[in-house]
Amino acid sequence: MSLASPTRPLVYAHRGGAALRPENTLAAFDHGLSLGADGLELDVHLSRDGVVVVHHDPTLERTTGGRGNLSAVAADELARLDAGHWFRPASAGPGTATAEFPFRGLGLGVPRLREVLARYPGVPLIIELKVNDPELARRAIDDIRLERAVDNVSFGSFGWQVLRAAREYEPRIPTGAAREEVRWALYRSWVRWPLGTPAYREFQVPERAGATTIISPRFIAHAHAAGLPVKIWTVNEADDVRRLIGWGADAIISDRPDVAVQAVRSSALEKVGVQARGESGPEG
């Protein structure tokens, strides 16, 4: 997986843009891309019948009208759930139930991964494997191969087992670093030990994890020295976007792709302007 484009870092709509549309739904993915996001970040689980479906939580209550464990429900049933049931837009205020939950009853179910892959051919995707189970990796890769999307996706996960299975089953698909791999990479950056040639091929990390700061100019430079892009989640404020890309971030993963896209574009224009002024030299 290459580093950022020559002109600017990439923007991924996190769960499609979770502050703007019901997360991990086709409505969110459509909207995130319509705002100018370069790619999508999404989460996957296995349904009861072994289908890879797009959903964040192991349970259904937070985002859908359903209840219980997702893994106990078949894919067809998940598709019929109301995945917009509890969603309130970031700007929603108090009011009637209809105003507060404008996406209820619109037919937004839990989609299959294959449905998403078929709908967005060629779009860069970060697919987070939410369960540390090798079977999830293998079934997701089977779907990706069937949709001929191997060149467009990368995997992320906190779990090492599922990422190891993905790396073995389909070496062409890059993976991010697992939690412990990030920890060791951070330690190495502190003492300036080279990363060498790790099994992971990019970082998908937050700026901070608890009390630990991961992202710094030093960490990004250390990753780049090993040829590894750094994709940072979840960045929703324009000032943070500009600061992180000033440090060299290769991609921003955001719940607010509207904010992130504009911040990245304005930073790119500012950089071009600075370069042009430098090339033309001082006036006089």
Side-chain angles (χ1 to χ4, degrees):
M1 183 67 67
S2 64
L3 301 183
S5 73
T7 55
R8 60 171 178 79
L10 302 180
V11 173
Y12 287 84
H14 183 246
R15 307 181 199 170
L20 305 176
R21 293 291 186 274
E23 66 180 58
N24 281 319
T25 64
L26 298 181
F29 301 143
D30 286 350
H31 188 245
L33 293 174
S34 76
L35 293 171
D38 303 285
L40 302 169
E41 187 273 352
L42 55 92
D43 309 283
V44 295
H45 287 265
L46 284 177
S47 66
R48 185 184 68 204
D49 46 346
V51 176
V52 184
V53 296
V54 180
H55 189 75
H56 181 271
D57 297 0
T59 55
L60 298 168
E61 287 86 350
R62 182 177 64 85
T63 58
T64 82
R67 298 185 63 81
N69 293 328
L70 178 147
S71 61
V73 183
D76 284 349
E77 298 174 69
L78 291 168
R80 291 193 293 268
L81 291 178
D82 186 355
H85 190 78
W86 295 111
F87 177 76
R88 294 187 228 187
S91 59
T96 65
T98 301
E100 286 188 331
F101 304 108
F103 289 88
R104 278 187 179 178
L106 297 185
L108 302 179
V110 175
R112 290 166 163 81
L113 176 60
R114 281 200 67 184
E115 185 179 7
V116 173
L117 294 169
R119 190 178 183 91
Y120 309 107
V123 172
L125 303 177
I126 297 173
I127 299 174
E128 184 172 354
L129 303 163
K130 296 302 292 184
V131 182
N132 196 21
D133 180 355
E135 187 65 15
L136 175 59
R138 289 189 285 266
R139 289 183 180 256
I141 289 167
D142 288 342
D143 285 351
I144 291 164
R145 287 170 174 165
L146 286 169
E147 295 299 333
R148 301 181 180 180
V150 167
D151 294 335
N152 303 324
V153 304
S154 61
F155 283 129
S157 182
F158 291 116
W160 182 74
Q161 286 184 316
V162 69
L163 289 177
R164 181 178 65 175
R167 293 162 186 168
E168 292 175 351
Y169 194 55
E170 181 47 89
R172 292 177 295 173
I173 296 178
T175 72
R179 189 195 306 267
E180 288 305 311
E181 292 172 325
V182 172
R183 189 189 308 276
W184 282 107
L186 181 60
Y187 294 162
R188 285 175 174 266
S189 74
W190 290 347
V191 297
R192 293 183 170 84
W193 285 351
L195 293 175
T197 54
Y200 54 87
R201 287 156 58 188
E202 61 185 48
F203 290 103
Q204 304 155 10
V205 289
E207 183 174 358
R208 297 178 185 86
T212 302
T213 296
I214 299 172
I215 294 298
S216 65
R218 174 187 291 185
F219 181 85
I220 293 174
H222 201 69
H224 286 177
L228 301 173
V230 180
K231 303 176 179 180
I232 306 173
W233 54 267
T234 305
V235 189
N236 297 330
E237 300 294 333
D239 288 345
D240 292 331
V241 173
R242 287 189 284 265
R243 174 174 53 83
L244 292 168
I245 64 178
W247 290 356
D250 300 285
I252 297 296
I253 305 169
S254 180
D255 289 330
R256 293 294 306 266
D258 54 339
V259 172
V261 166
Q262 290 304 315
V264 168
R265 287 177 176 172
S266 64
S267 295
L269 289 172
E270 182 179 341
K271 182 178 179 180
V272 169
V274 169
Q275 291 173 339
R277 290 193 295 273
E279 290 171 1
S280 62
E283 294 181 359

